[in-house]
Amino acid sequence: TTRDEVTEVSGRGVGLAATRNEVEKLGGSITVSSTPEQGMCITIRLPWLLENTAKLHTETEQSKDSTLVLLDVLKQHTYAYLANEGELEDIRLAPNQADMAAISLNESSVYVRIEAPYEVWVVFYFEQPLLSFLAQTFLDQTESQTSQEDCADMAAELINIIVGLGTQDLNKNEEHSILISTPSMLNKSKSIEAIGSARFYASRIQTQHGDVQVYVMAPQALFDEQLNYLESST
């Protein structure tokens, strides 16, 4: 506890007991270890994401479409991050869209390249009110204190975390890591049509502060670092 004194409502482990009950309801576990005069470590293990990931692996074998599975996993991790770290309660997951004829990417979208076995570009766009809210929450700032640079840094950090966790889950039993590029940001909006073998997927996560749009563009070899088609692919 962080309390100097024990009272009827604090310092007695009531909050931790409530947490344990909720974790156990979800089929998880919680352990506590401590060293006098040094500190305490609380470890919470939850099976929810891993169970869903296992289900998605089964669907991958059935549908042979790993790109769509990747999109689903990223959507799950986005939901979990907004709910747990952003403490957002009203979050809704829209249905995926596949084999789109074209996509429209907004200015300030953040994107990364994911290497083998996926070979795709992943693009995230956080609507400004949501991004501002998240930046204010994590930086403990007021709206007037939060700059555009803070929001841009927040978007890059979020895509690093979400894509990193997603690919880590999908790569549990593999010997080699999945490489992810450094996040980049679009400096202007653009529309991209699906040409030749290009495949576009999209999904949306809706919150009370704004939406998150997630796009997967495959295969990544068709596009350059600014998400323009390479001349050899058109």
Side-chain angles (χ1 to χ4, degrees), residues 72-173:
D72 271 328
V73 171
L74 294 177
K75 187 166 67 172
Q76 284 189 45
H77 277 284
T78 304
Y79 178 99
Y81 193 87
L82 293 174
N84 298 330
E85 302 298 331
E87 299 183 351
L88 298 176
E89 297 179 354
D90 185 14
I91 306 175
R92 299 175 300 279
L93 302 179
N96 293 336
Q97 295 176 275
D99 296 325
M100 302 173 66
I103 56 175
S104 296
L105 303 180
N106 293 284
E107 181 181 354
S108 301
S109 294
V110 181
Y111 57 97
V112 294
R113 181 179 63 254
I114 301 179
E115 302 291 353
Y118 296 98
E119 302 290 353
V120 297
W121 291 97
V122 174
V123 185
F124 275 72
Y125 175 69
F126 296 85
E127 291 186 348
Q128 191 60 42
L130 174 61
L131 193 55
S132 296
F133 170 80
L134 294 173
Q136 292 165 37
T137 300
F138 292 109
L139 298 176
D140 194 22
Q141 295 178 343
T142 64
E143 184 175 358
S144 61
Q145 292 174 318
T146 305
S147 66
Q148 287 295 112
E149 184 178 355
D150 291 331
C151 290
D153 290 342
M154 189 75 213
E157 183 64 22
L158 286 173
I159 193 172
N160 264 335
I161 294 171
I162 293 168
V163 175
L165 290 173
T167 53
Q168 184 179 31
D169 267 0
L170 288 170
N171 199 41
K172 287 291 184 182
N173 299 319

Side-chain angles (χ1 to χ4, degrees), residues 51-71:
E51 287 179 355
N52 278 272
T53 301
K55 177 183 176 182
L56 290 172
H57 273 300
T58 301
E59 293 173 354
T60 304
E61 291 299 316
Q62 294 173 344
S63 66
K64 305 300 182 182
D65 195 341
S66 61
T67 304
L68 188 56
V69 173
L70 173 64
L71 177 60

